[in-house]
């Protein structure tokens, strides 16, 4: 697998220090299970974070320590021991949903109850215990566009099958797109197969079309 879109430093650092709400963590952890490169980066972050926690007096204010951590990462490459790369044995039938996502939703993609969104698209809403994020699996038919929208907040999209393309590039299995309120994008699913992705948002999507804004609450998107 050739992953080209990875977890940003900011997001990975927040994950390493346990600062992410459950929905975001689920997307990051699922990317990590597919991406040896980000697992290595995470190990570095965790090693530096552990060093820094040890050096801090108890109850210290750690805000702003991320800049210091980045500076140390840039200068201390040789000092951080990395664990050997995990070898994953290839399963006979590869599931669409990797762990920890598959256990989280209780089965692989085919076992889920997909609800129609119109125009051939389907979704499964995934309940979380946090009150910050909305998590869903989306299935967009091959070659079809996802309606153009911008965001009230952050959106993480992790591709699990097929692909989509937008102004940021092409995203295939394992690729993670981080979008914020400044990105207005029109993803289009690749023609090779239906695109299945995990989408985590922290605010309702804002569609450019007035019609979609009106039907949005009805569709639950
Ligand atoms: Zn990665």
């Amino acid at each position: 697998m050739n992953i080209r879109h990875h977890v940003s430093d900011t997001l990975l650092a927040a994950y390493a220090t346990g600062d992410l709400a459950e929905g975001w963590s689920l997307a990051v952890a699922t990317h990590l299970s597919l991406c040896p490169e980000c697992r290595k980066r995470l190990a570095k972050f965790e090693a530096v974070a552990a060093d820094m926690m040890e050096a801090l007096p108890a109850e210290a204010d750690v805000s702003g320590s991320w800049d210091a951590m980045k500076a140390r990462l840039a200068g201390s490459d040789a000092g951080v021991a990395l664990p050997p790369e995990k070898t994953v044995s290839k399963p006979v039938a590869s599931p669409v949903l990797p762990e920890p996502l598959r256990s989280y939703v209780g089965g692989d993609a085919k076992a889920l109850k997909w609800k129609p969104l119109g125009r051939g698209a389907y979704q499964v809403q995934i309940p979380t215990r946090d009150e910050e994020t909305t998590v869903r699996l989306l299935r967009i038919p091959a070659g079809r566009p996802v309606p153009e929208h911008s965001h009230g907040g952050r959106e993480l999209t992790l591709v699990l099958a097929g692909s989509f393309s937008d102004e940021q590039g092409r995203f295939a299995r394992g690729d993670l797109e981080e979008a914020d309120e400044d990105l207005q994008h029109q993803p289009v699913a690749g023609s090779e197969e239906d695109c299945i992705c995990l989408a985590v948002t922290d605010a309702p999507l804002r569609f450019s079309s007035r019609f979609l804004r009106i039907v949005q609450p009805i569709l639950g998107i």
Side-chain angles (χ1 to χ4, degrees):
M1 192 183 339
N2 202 356
I3 295 177
R4 282 171 301 179
H5 302 273
H6 297 275
V7 183
S8 67
D9 281 349
T10 312
L11 198 57
L12 196 57
Y15 179 82
T17 51
D19 273 348
L20 288 179
E22 191 174 316
W24 309 123
S25 292
L26 180 64
V28 172
T30 306
H31 173 86
L32 285 166
S33 78
L34 295 170
C35 184
E37 199 177 317
C38 283
R39 288 201 297 273
K40 277 189 198 168
R41 289 169 60 222
L42 177 67
K44 274 195 192 184
F45 281 20
E46 286 175 340
V48 174
D51 276 1
M52 290 186 70
M53 292 311 280
E54 226 162 80
L56 286 172
E59 304 292 321
D61 177 13
V62 294
S63 59
S65 63
W66 172 231
D67 282 337
M69 191 195 291
K70 265 205 289 206
R72 285 189 56 178
L73 278 168
S76 69
D77 227 10
V80 182
L82 294 175
E85 195 168 310
K86 218 170 147 186
T87 49
V88 182
S89 57
K90 204 175 176 185
V92 181
S94 356
V96 173
L97 307 183
E99 294 294 359
L101 180 61
R102 195 165 70 249
S103 297
Y104 198 92
V105 300
D108 200 18
K110 276 185 186 157
L112 301 176
K113 289 199 175 96
W114 293 88
K115 297 215 169 112
L117 273 176
R119 296 176 170 220
Y122 288 82
Q123 74 166 358
V124 178
Q125 283 195 291
I126 302 171
T128 63
R129 281 156 296 185
D130 76 52
E131 292 182 354
E132 178 183 328
T133 61
T134 301
V135 182
R136 55 170 64 89
L137 282 161
L138 288 170
R139 195 168 84 215
I140 311 297
R144 300 289 285 276
V146 178
E148 185 178 1
H149 59 275
S150 59
H151 309 270
R154 180 197 271 165
E155 181 185 50
L156 292 182
T157 309
L158 176 68
V159 178
L160 300 165
S163 67
F164 72 82
S165 297
D166 67 9
E167 290 76 355
Q168 305 282 94
R170 181 175 181 270
F171 295 78
R173 182 170 165 86
D175 283 327
L176 182 75
E177 180 173 61
E178 280 183 63
D180 60 21
E181 60 266 38
D182 297 328
L183 179 71
Q184 177 91 6
H185 64 158
Q186 169 115 55
V188 178
S191 55
E192 68 279 13
E193 61 176 306
D194 290 357
C195 178
I196 295 178
C197 50
L198 177 71
V200 185
T201 51
D202 64 359
L205 305 181
R206 284 193 305 249
F207 288 101
S208 311
S209 138
R210 186 159 163 268
F211 171 73
L212 280 171
R213 286 203 303 275
I214 292 166
V215 299
Q216 186 172 13
I218 304 164
L219 295 178
I221 55 177

